[in-house]
Amino acid sequence: MKLRKVSAAAATALVLTLTATACGGDGDSEGGSGSGGGKKIKIGIKYDQPGLGLKEPDGSFSGFDVDVATYVAKELGYKPDQIEFVETKSADRENALARGDVKLIAATYSITDERKAKVDFAGPYLLAHQDLLVKTDSDITEATDLNGKDLCSVTGSTSAQNVKNDFAPKANLKETGGYSECLAGLQSGSVDALTTDDSILAGYAAQQQYKGKFKLAGLKLSNENYGIGVKKGDTETVNKVNAALEKMVKDGAWEKAVKDNFGPANYKNEPAPKIGTIVK
Ligand code: GLU
């Protein structure tokens, strides 16, 4: 009996040791871990936004946010194989940073006062605008045309918030977890329009399976200043990321990332924003 008790205690100790080892063991559990060659950084991105953040069928990642995140990580001392990309859906972003699931978020993440109460932002690194995606033969041309229509957007996004508060309070807004669900609804006809940033919509419209089926309304309904989300109070990281973004613009890597990722969708992006300056 006594022997069994000792064994149980030993087993518990072993489990605790293993758990500590699995956590990296350097006390840094906030999206980055380890030291020297084995260190890793976790970065939140979108998985379903072609041209911005996309998980490819082979498991690799592509898009402007991915390229920006990879550049920033390099400046922070992480090689591409030391980055772990994690999916952060629109409604999960603040919590993912607060919990320390990820160190950074580069996921079409607009800087807003409401979000700034919960997280810090570096940037902005892109200026986009809210727009509508509709079927090619749709007669929706203005935001007010949406009143009484079925509209899809994503929970926790500025796009859904703006529709409810300003653009079309009488629209029948359906909120989903991600934009790909809205896209399916637009294709099946269960919704009349999908609203979010023009940068995201252009990527969808250019996809092979949707070519010629959808169009952007071309309305600049809002200014969406994309920032890199960082845990509230982590000023050191914000400063480092800002320096990295400035360097990325200066050395031409920003322009290259724009061409590589927005070129195929023919998305006419705004010029590089000035770090620290929000366009209201
Ligand atoms: N940029 C907007 C936002 O941060 C819409 C895109 C998104 O949901 O990520 O809410």
Side-chain angles (χ1 to χ4, degrees):
M1 198 60 200
K2 202 164 183 200
L3 189 67
R4 281 182 70 187
K5 257 189 193 156
V6 170
S7 316
T12 309
L14 181 65
V15 168
L16 288 175
T17 315
L18 289 173
T19 312
T21 313
C23 286
D26 70 343
D28 182 359
S29 60
E30 293 181 353
S33 67
S35 54
K39 66 178 183 176
K40 287 254 182 205
I41 185 167
K42 286 190 186 167
I43 306 182
I45 57 163
K46 295 292 182 68
Y47 273 16
D48 65 349
Q49 297 179 183
L52 284 150
L54 186 70
K55 187 171 185 184
E56 302 280 359
D58 68 358
S60 64
F61 299 95
S62 71
F64 183 68
D65 281 343
V66 170
D67 287 355
V68 169
T70 305
Y71 189 100
V72 166
K74 181 189 74 188
E75 293 300 304
L76 298 182
Y78 299 88
K79 294 196 190 85
D81 64 357
Q82 292 173 311
I83 302 171
E84 189 185 326
F85 286 114
V86 175
E87 183 176 32
T88 44
K89 294 196 170 191
S90 295
D92 296 337
R93 294 175 290 199
E94 287 83 29
N95 287 338
L97 286 170
R99 282 193 304 259
D101 294 354
V102 291
K103 181 90 175 167
L104 308 173
I105 291 185
T108 59
Y109 199 9
S110 299
I111 302 171
T112 68
D113 289 341
E114 209 183 333
R115 289 172 181 165
K116 271 188 347 201
K118 296 179 188 158
V119 301
D120 283 343
F121 285 101
Y125 64 93
L126 189 75
L127 176 63
H129 307 280
Q130 186 171 349
D131 200 354
L132 309 176
L133 189 71
V134 293
K135 283 202 166 149
T136 312
D137 60 1
S138 170
D139 51 11
I140 296 170
T141 56
E142 302 287 339
T144 47
D145 294 340
L146 295 168
N147 285 312
K149 294 266 168 54
D150 294 317
L151 176 67
C152 191
S153 201
V154 164
T155 310
S157 68
T158 53
S159 328
Q161 204 61 39
N162 289 342
V163 167
K164 283 190 269 191
N165 294 349
D166 298 318
F167 307 142
K170 295 210 177 81
N172 172 25
L173 180 65
K174 294 186 183 175
E175 294 187 46
T176 61
Y179 296 102
S180 44
E181 287 104 291
C182 284
L183 201 61
L186 189 62
Q187 197 179 21
S188 73
S190 68
V191 295
D192 301 302
L194 153 55
T195 187
T196 189
D197 306 337
D198 49 9
S199 48
I200 301 171
L201 298 176
Y204 288 139
Q207 278 186 303
Q208 203 51 47
Q209 70 263 43
Y210 302 126
K211 275 227 168 103
K213 291 189 179 158
F214 302 145
K215 64 178 180 193
L216 274 77
L219 309 169
K220 293 191 172 167
L221 296 170
S222 70
N223 290 323
E224 304 295 325
N225 296 265
Y226 288 2
I228 308 263
V230 172
K231 190 178 193 162
K232 184 96 196 130
D234 188 356
T235 314
E236 196 190 329
T237 303
V238 169
N239 291 340
K240 283 186 192 165
V241 174
N242 276 336
L245 292 172
E246 250 156 27
K247 190 174 168 197
M248 188 179 185
V249 173
K250 238 183 233 147
D251 72 10
W254 187 91
E255 201 56 51
K256 183 182 181 316
V258 154
K259 285 216 179 79
D260 291 351
N261 296 294
F262 297 143
N266 204 19
Y267 174 61
K268 302 274 176 276
N269 62 283
E270 299 274 4
K274 207 167 140 351
I275 304 299
T277 305
I278 305 294
V279 180
K280 289 274 179 192

